[in-house]
Short mmCIF file of all heavy atoms in Angstrom, two decimals:
data_model
loop_
_atom_site.label_atom_id
_atom_site.label_comp_id
_atom_site.label_asym_id
_atom_site.label_seq_id
_atom_site.Cartn_x
_atom_site.Cartn_y
_atom_site.Cartn_z
N SER A 1 3.54 -5.69 2.22
CA SER A 1 4.14 -5.71 3.55
C SER A 1 5.62 -5.09 3.39
O SER A 1 5.79 -4.51 2.36
CB SER A 1 4.24 -7.18 4.02
OG SER A 1 4.69 -7.22 5.34
N GLY A 2 6.37 -5.31 4.42
CA GLY A 2 7.65 -4.69 4.36
C GLY A 2 8.67 -5.38 5.14
O GLY A 2 8.65 -6.59 5.17
N GLY A 3 9.67 -4.70 5.78
CA GLY A 3 9.77 -3.31 6.02
C GLY A 3 8.45 -2.69 6.49
O GLY A 3 7.46 -3.26 6.78
N GLU A 4 8.34 -1.43 6.34
CA GLU A 4 7.04 -0.65 6.37
C GLU A 4 6.60 -0.15 5.11
O GLU A 4 7.32 0.71 4.32
CB GLU A 4 7.41 0.58 7.42
CG GLU A 4 6.15 1.58 7.52
CD GLU A 4 4.80 0.81 7.62
OE1 GLU A 4 4.65 0.05 8.63
OE2 GLU A 4 3.88 1.01 6.89
N PRO A 5 5.61 -0.79 4.48
CA PRO A 5 5.12 -0.51 3.14
C PRO A 5 4.80 0.96 2.90
O PRO A 5 4.91 1.47 1.74
CB PRO A 5 4.03 -1.36 2.94
CG PRO A 5 3.61 -1.78 4.32
CD PRO A 5 4.82 -1.84 5.19
N LEU A 6 4.38 1.63 3.96
CA LEU A 6 3.95 3.13 3.71
C LEU A 6 5.18 3.98 3.50
O LEU A 6 5.06 5.17 3.17
CB LEU A 6 3.18 3.57 5.01
CG LEU A 6 1.73 3.02 5.13
CD1 LEU A 6 1.19 3.31 6.41
CD2 LEU A 6 0.97 3.65 4.01
N LEU A 7 6.30 3.44 3.68
CA LEU A 7 7.55 4.19 3.33
C LEU A 7 7.86 4.06 1.89
O LEU A 7 8.92 4.77 1.43
CB LEU A 7 8.68 3.80 4.11
CG LEU A 7 8.52 3.98 5.58
CD1 LEU A 7 9.76 3.70 6.35
CD2 LEU A 7 8.14 5.42 6.03
N ARG A 8 7.20 3.25 1.07
CA ARG A 8 7.35 3.23 -0.31
C ARG A 8 6.50 4.29 -0.99
O ARG A 8 5.29 4.19 -1.02
CB ARG A 8 6.97 1.74 -0.79
CG ARG A 8 7.29 1.54 -2.38
CD ARG A 8 7.32 0.29 -2.87
NE ARG A 8 7.35 0.30 -4.29
CZ ARG A 8 8.20 -0.34 -5.12
NH1 ARG A 8 9.00 -1.22 -4.47
NH2 ARG A 8 8.24 -0.25 -6.41
N PRO A 9 7.14 5.22 -1.79
CA PRO A 9 6.32 6.39 -2.22
C PRO A 9 5.17 6.04 -3.24
O PRO A 9 4.12 6.63 -3.29
CB PRO A 9 7.39 7.12 -2.90
CG PRO A 9 8.69 6.94 -2.32
CD PRO A 9 8.57 5.40 -2.06
N ASP A 10 5.38 4.90 -4.05
CA ASP A 10 4.40 4.43 -4.97
C ASP A 10 3.36 3.41 -4.54
O ASP A 10 2.60 2.89 -5.30
CB ASP A 10 5.04 4.05 -6.38
CG ASP A 10 6.04 2.85 -6.07
OD1 ASP A 10 6.03 2.47 -4.83
OD2 ASP A 10 6.54 2.25 -7.06
N LEU A 11 3.33 3.30 -3.21
CA LEU A 11 2.40 2.20 -2.72
C LEU A 11 0.96 2.44 -3.11
O LEU A 11 0.47 1.44 -3.63
CB LEU A 11 2.54 2.26 -1.12
CG LEU A 11 1.55 1.34 -0.45
CD1 LEU A 11 1.88 -0.10 -0.56
CD2 LEU A 11 1.50 1.84 1.07
N ARG A 12 0.42 3.61 -2.98
CA ARG A 12 -0.98 3.78 -3.22
C ARG A 12 -1.26 3.61 -4.64
O ARG A 12 -2.34 2.93 -5.12
CB ARG A 12 -1.54 5.15 -2.61
CG ARG A 12 -1.48 5.18 -1.11
CD ARG A 12 -1.77 6.60 -0.59
NE ARG A 12 -0.54 7.37 -0.86
CZ ARG A 12 0.51 7.44 -0.23
NH1 ARG A 12 0.77 6.61 0.76
NH2 ARG A 12 1.57 8.25 -0.50
N ALA A 13 -0.34 4.08 -5.52
CA ALA A 13 -0.48 3.94 -6.90
C ALA A 13 -0.61 2.52 -7.44
O ALA A 13 -1.25 2.05 -8.18
CB ALA A 13 0.63 4.77 -7.62
N LEU A 14 0.43 1.75 -6.83
CA LEU A 14 0.52 0.26 -7.09
C LEU A 14 -0.76 -0.48 -6.60
O LEU A 14 -1.13 -1.33 -7.33
CB LEU A 14 1.76 -0.32 -6.49
CG LEU A 14 3.07 0.20 -7.07
CD1 LEU A 14 4.23 -0.44 -6.36
CD2 LEU A 14 3.16 -0.32 -8.70
N SER A 15 -1.25 -0.09 -5.43
CA SER A 15 -2.48 -0.69 -4.92
C SER A 15 -3.58 -0.45 -6.00
O SER A 15 -4.38 -1.34 -6.43
CB SER A 15 -2.87 -0.32 -3.59
OG SER A 15 -4.09 -0.75 -3.29
N SER A 16 -3.87 0.85 -6.44
CA SER A 16 -4.79 1.25 -7.33
C SER A 16 -4.68 0.43 -8.60
O SER A 16 -5.74 -0.12 -9.14
CB SER A 16 -4.75 2.77 -7.60
OG SER A 16 -5.03 3.48 -6.46
N PHE A 17 -3.40 0.35 -9.08
CA PHE A 17 -3.27 -0.47 -10.26
C PHE A 17 -3.63 -1.90 -10.17
O PHE A 17 -4.34 -2.48 -11.09
CB PHE A 17 -1.66 -0.30 -10.70
CG PHE A 17 -1.32 -1.05 -12.01
CD1 PHE A 17 -1.79 -0.58 -13.23
CD2 PHE A 17 -0.65 -2.23 -11.83
CE1 PHE A 17 -1.45 -1.34 -14.35
CE2 PHE A 17 -0.32 -2.90 -13.07
CZ PHE A 17 -0.66 -2.50 -14.28
N ALA A 18 -3.25 -2.42 -9.05
CA ALA A 18 -3.56 -3.85 -8.76
C ALA A 18 -5.06 -4.09 -8.68
O ALA A 18 -5.61 -5.13 -9.33
CB ALA A 18 -2.87 -4.41 -7.54
N VAL A 19 -5.69 -3.20 -8.08
CA VAL A 19 -7.12 -3.40 -8.02
C VAL A 19 -7.92 -3.19 -9.47
O VAL A 19 -8.85 -3.99 -9.77
CB VAL A 19 -7.74 -2.29 -6.94
CG1 VAL A 19 -9.33 -2.16 -7.05
CG2 VAL A 19 -7.34 -2.50 -5.56
N SER A 20 -7.30 -2.39 -10.14
CA SER A 20 -7.81 -2.18 -11.50
C SER A 20 -7.65 -3.39 -12.38
O SER A 20 -8.38 -3.52 -13.39
CB SER A 20 -7.13 -1.00 -12.29
OG SER A 20 -5.89 -1.31 -12.72
N LYS A 21 -6.76 -4.35 -11.99
CA LYS A 21 -6.40 -5.52 -12.72
C LYS A 21 -7.26 -6.76 -12.04
O LYS A 21 -7.06 -7.81 -12.49
CB LYS A 21 -4.97 -5.90 -12.75
CG LYS A 21 -4.11 -4.91 -13.44
CD LYS A 21 -4.46 -4.79 -14.90
CE LYS A 21 -3.59 -3.81 -15.63
NZ LYS A 21 -3.92 -3.81 -17.19
N GLY A 22 -8.01 -6.40 -11.08
CA GLY A 22 -8.79 -7.47 -10.50
C GLY A 22 -8.30 -8.05 -9.22
O GLY A 22 -8.95 -9.10 -8.59
N LEU A 23 -7.17 -7.65 -8.65
CA LEU A 23 -6.47 -8.18 -7.48
C LEU A 23 -7.27 -7.43 -6.25
O LEU A 23 -7.58 -6.35 -6.26
CB LEU A 23 -5.10 -7.93 -7.49
CG LEU A 23 -4.26 -8.79 -8.30
CD1 LEU A 23 -2.86 -8.12 -8.40
CD2 LEU A 23 -4.10 -10.16 -7.76
N ARG A 24 -7.36 -8.26 -5.10
CA ARG A 24 -7.81 -7.68 -3.95
C ARG A 24 -6.45 -7.20 -3.14
O ARG A 24 -5.49 -8.21 -3.03
CB ARG A 24 -8.64 -8.60 -3.00
CG ARG A 24 -8.99 -8.01 -1.71
CD ARG A 24 -10.17 -8.76 -1.07
NE ARG A 24 -9.93 -9.99 -0.56
CZ ARG A 24 -9.55 -10.21 0.64
NH1 ARG A 24 -9.48 -9.18 1.42
NH2 ARG A 24 -9.13 -11.42 1.10
N THR A 25 -6.39 -6.06 -2.73
CA THR A 25 -5.12 -5.71 -2.02
C THR A 25 -5.35 -5.44 -0.47
O THR A 25 -6.44 -4.94 -0.03
CB THR A 25 -4.49 -4.46 -2.65
OG1 THR A 25 -5.52 -3.32 -2.40
CG2 THR A 25 -4.23 -4.51 -4.14
N VAL A 26 -4.42 -5.91 0.24
CA VAL A 26 -4.54 -5.75 1.83
C VAL A 26 -3.05 -5.27 2.27
O VAL A 26 -2.06 -5.37 1.47
CB VAL A 26 -4.83 -7.04 2.49
CG1 VAL A 26 -6.23 -7.50 1.99
CG2 VAL A 26 -3.82 -8.07 2.19
N LEU A 27 -3.11 -4.62 3.38
CA LEU A 27 -1.89 -3.99 3.85
C LEU A 27 -1.51 -4.44 5.27
O LEU A 27 -2.36 -4.53 6.07
CB LEU A 27 -2.18 -2.30 3.84
CG LEU A 27 -1.02 -1.50 4.36
CD1 LEU A 27 0.12 -1.50 3.38
CD2 LEU A 27 -1.45 -0.02 4.49
N SER A 28 -0.17 -4.68 5.30
CA SER A 28 0.38 -5.08 6.63
C SER A 28 1.38 -3.91 7.10
O SER A 28 2.31 -3.67 6.37
CB SER A 28 1.10 -6.40 6.63
OG SER A 28 1.63 -6.69 7.90
N THR A 29 1.06 -3.29 8.31
CA THR A 29 1.82 -2.15 8.55
C THR A 29 1.97 -2.01 10.10
O THR A 29 1.23 -2.63 10.80
CB THR A 29 1.10 -0.73 8.13
OG1 THR A 29 1.73 0.41 8.55
CG2 THR A 29 -0.41 -0.89 8.56
N ASN A 30 3.02 -1.27 10.41
CA ASN A 30 3.14 -1.04 11.97
C ASN A 30 2.29 0.04 12.42
O ASN A 30 2.14 0.41 13.60
CB ASN A 30 4.61 -0.73 12.30
CG ASN A 30 5.17 0.52 11.64
OD1 ASN A 30 4.53 1.52 11.53
ND2 ASN A 30 6.56 0.40 11.28
N GLY A 31 1.61 0.80 11.41
CA GLY A 31 0.65 1.83 11.76
C GLY A 31 1.16 3.13 12.20
O GLY A 31 0.30 4.10 12.23
N THR A 32 2.36 3.30 12.40
CA THR A 32 2.89 4.55 12.81
C THR A 32 2.88 5.66 11.82
O THR A 32 2.94 6.85 12.18
CB THR A 32 4.37 4.37 13.51
OG1 THR A 32 5.22 4.05 12.43
CG2 THR A 32 4.34 3.43 14.60
N ALA A 33 2.92 5.22 10.58
CA ALA A 33 2.97 6.24 9.49
C ALA A 33 1.61 6.66 8.94
O ALA A 33 1.46 7.29 7.94
CB ALA A 33 3.89 5.89 8.41
N ILE A 34 0.60 6.23 9.63
CA ILE A 34 -0.86 6.58 9.18
C ILE A 34 -1.24 7.85 9.75
O ILE A 34 -1.89 7.95 10.77
CB ILE A 34 -1.86 5.44 9.56
CG1 ILE A 34 -1.29 4.02 8.94
CG2 ILE A 34 -3.25 5.74 8.89
CD1 ILE A 34 -2.30 2.94 9.20
N GLY A 35 -0.74 8.95 9.15
CA GLY A 35 -1.10 10.26 9.73
C GLY A 35 -2.50 10.82 9.12
O GLY A 35 -3.18 10.12 8.57
N GLU A 36 -2.66 12.07 9.49
CA GLU A 36 -3.95 12.60 9.06
C GLU A 36 -4.07 12.54 7.61
O GLU A 36 -3.15 12.91 6.88
CB GLU A 36 -3.96 14.15 9.57
CG GLU A 36 -3.95 14.29 11.14
CD GLU A 36 -5.38 13.85 11.62
OE1 GLU A 36 -6.36 13.64 10.85
OE2 GLU A 36 -5.31 13.60 12.91
#
């Protein structure tokens, strides 16, 4: 979550790392930065 988590540059890499360790990851966002 945030702030707006999509403004953190390493967000996707950190989620991938968490998933590789067995964590389930979810995202709370305002949605405005989900571009194409």
Side-chain angles (χ1 to χ4, degrees):
S1 186
E4 173 46 56
L6 287 168
L7 299 184
R8 182 169 173 127
D10 57 358
L11 171 71
R12 289 169 295 282
L14 289 174
S15 175
S16 295
F17 179 71
V19 171
S20 76
K21 296 296 179 179
L23 285 164
R24 183 162 74 89
T25 62
V26 299
L27 180 67
S28 175
T29 172
N30 65 42
T32 62
I34 304 176
E36 294 292 342

